[in-house]
């Protein structure tokens, strides 16, 4: 039962343009949301997070938006750079047991 | 600070065998979680250990087990390996267990033939 869904397995974007990655969740007990980035042969690295009490968090080129009523969050990368080419995982923490649930990932390719 | 380390990095086993994977968390981190990553499935949570106690468990069969030592190092064991166990096994550590940000190791690539 996939509680966190990333419905786009891949995304291709031109360098300098905006990348928008989407994530939907079903569990209303999720209270904290994270995005991780993964390069081949490496473990995921933490990118940015947002608490359920906020609707936006920004860190440099990365902004995460949370729409609780729609159970939807998105990650915006502006401007996209070649080094952003990676797999991006959306994750959500359950406030009951602090378990993280991950989406299946979106592979981003930034074209020069 | 040294990051999360996992050994071995690559492993090839045959069906029916068992395997033990090791994870050393970031110094001072007491929570260690294990995940299985397969293509198209994302990261599936296996279990979490905190202060030598299993605190959370995912939906995996009993063939998957783990433990944590007093120095917070953790091992996971898979017995009676099946072809479907071929995956990247990731270990992640975090400071208090309540902190959502986890720090991942590079993973162990297990291939079962």
């Amino acid at each position: 039962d996939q509680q966190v869904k990333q419905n786009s397995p891949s995304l291709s974007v031109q360098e300098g343009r905006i990348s928008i990655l989407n994530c939907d969740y079903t569990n209303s007990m999720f209270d904290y949301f994270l995005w991780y980035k993964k390069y081949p042969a490496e473990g995921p690295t933490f990118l940015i997070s947002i608490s359920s009490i906020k609707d936006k968090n920004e860190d440099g080129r990365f902004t995460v938006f949370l729409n609780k009523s729609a159970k939807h969050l998105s990650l915006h990368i502006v401007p996209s750079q070649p080094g952003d080419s990676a797999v991006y995982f959306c994750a959500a923490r359950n406030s009951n047991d602090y378990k993280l649930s991950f989406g299946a990932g979106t592979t981003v390719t930034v074209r020069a | 600070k040294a990051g999360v380390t996992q050994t071995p990095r690559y492993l090839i086993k045959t069906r029916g065998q068992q395997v033990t994977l090791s994870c050393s968390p970031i110094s001072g981190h007491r929570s260690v979680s294990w995940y299985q990553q397969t293509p198209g499935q994302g990261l599936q949570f296996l279990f979490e250990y905190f202060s030598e106690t299993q605190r959370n468990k995912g939906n995996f069969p009993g063939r998957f087990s783990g433990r944590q030592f007093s120095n917070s190092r953790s091992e996971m064991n898979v017995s009676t390996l099946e072809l479907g166990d071929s995956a990247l096994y990731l270990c992640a550590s975090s400071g208090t267990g309540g902190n959502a940000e986890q720090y991942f190791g590079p993973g162990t690539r297990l291939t079962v033939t």
Side-chain angles (χ1 to χ4, degrees), chain A residues 2 32 34 36 38 41-44 46 49 89 93 97-100 102-104, chain B residues 9 35 37 40 42-45 56-57 88 90 97-98 100-102 104-106:
Chain A
Q2 214 48 12
Y32 201 77
L34 309 93
Y36 281 83
K38 185 181 185 301
E42 296 181 13
F46 170 74
S49 63
F89 291 100
R93 183 181 76 172
D97 55 19
Y98 290 158
K99 277 168 60 174
L100 284 187
F102 284 80
Chain B
R9 292 292 310 276
Y35 296 87
Q37 185 191 1
L43 278 69
Q44 303 294 316
F45 174 75
N56 278 310
K57 191 176 188 307
L88 180 67
L90 292 159
E101 293 167 22
Q102 296 184 348
F104 284 83

Side-chain angles (χ1 to χ4, degrees), chain B residues 58-71:
Chain B
N59 298 321
F60 278 81
R63 300 185 297 107
F64 292 81
S65 63
R67 59 178 175 167
Q68 187 180 33
F69 302 94
S70 58
N71 61 358

Side-chain angles (χ1 to χ4, degrees), chain A residues 26-92:
Chain A
T26 58
N27 193 334
S28 58
M29 298 309 296
F30 289 150
D31 68 340
Y32 201 77
F33 304 88
L34 309 93
W35 286 93
Y36 281 83
K37 176 179 176 179
K38 185 181 185 301
Y39 293 118
E42 296 181 13
T45 55
F46 170 74
L47 196 56
I48 191 170
S49 63
I50 187 167
S51 164
S52 60
I53 62 173
K54 295 186 175 182
D55 55 19
K56 177 182 174 181
N57 187 28
E58 191 172 351
D59 183 2
R61 296 186 297 114
F62 303 92
T63 303
V64 57
F65 296 92
L66 174 63
N67 183 332
K68 278 189 68 177
S69 60
K71 292 191 172 68
H72 177 84
L73 65 154
S74 61
L75 174 68
H76 292 206
I77 307 174
V78 185
S80 299
Q81 299 174 353
D84 296 332
S85 296
V87 179
Y88 290 78
F89 291 100
C90 169

Side-chain angles (χ1 to χ4, degrees), chain A residues 12-25:
Chain A
S12 180
V13 64
Q14 187 98 32
E15 181 179 2
R17 306 294 288 268
I18 184 172
S19 294
I20 299 177
L21 291 79
N22 294 303
C23 179
D24 296 295
Y25 62 96

Side-chain angles (χ1 to χ4, degrees), chain B residues 28-48:
Chain B
H29 283 190
R30 295 165 65 189
S31 170
V32 174
S33 298
W34 288 89
Y35 296 87
Q36 180 194 66
Q37 185 191 1
T38 52
Q41 292 294 315
L43 278 69
Q44 303 294 316
F45 174 75
L46 280 153
F47 28 67
E48 181 208 2

Side-chain angles (χ1 to χ4, degrees), chain B residues 72-95:
Chain B
S72 293
R73 190 177 70 85
S74 177
E75 290 180 347
M76 69 163 277
N77 184 277
V78 188
S79 62
T80 320
L81 283 166
E82 301 177 358
L83 294 179
D85 297 333
S86 294
L88 180 67
Y89 290 88
L90 292 159
C91 161
S93 75
S94 61

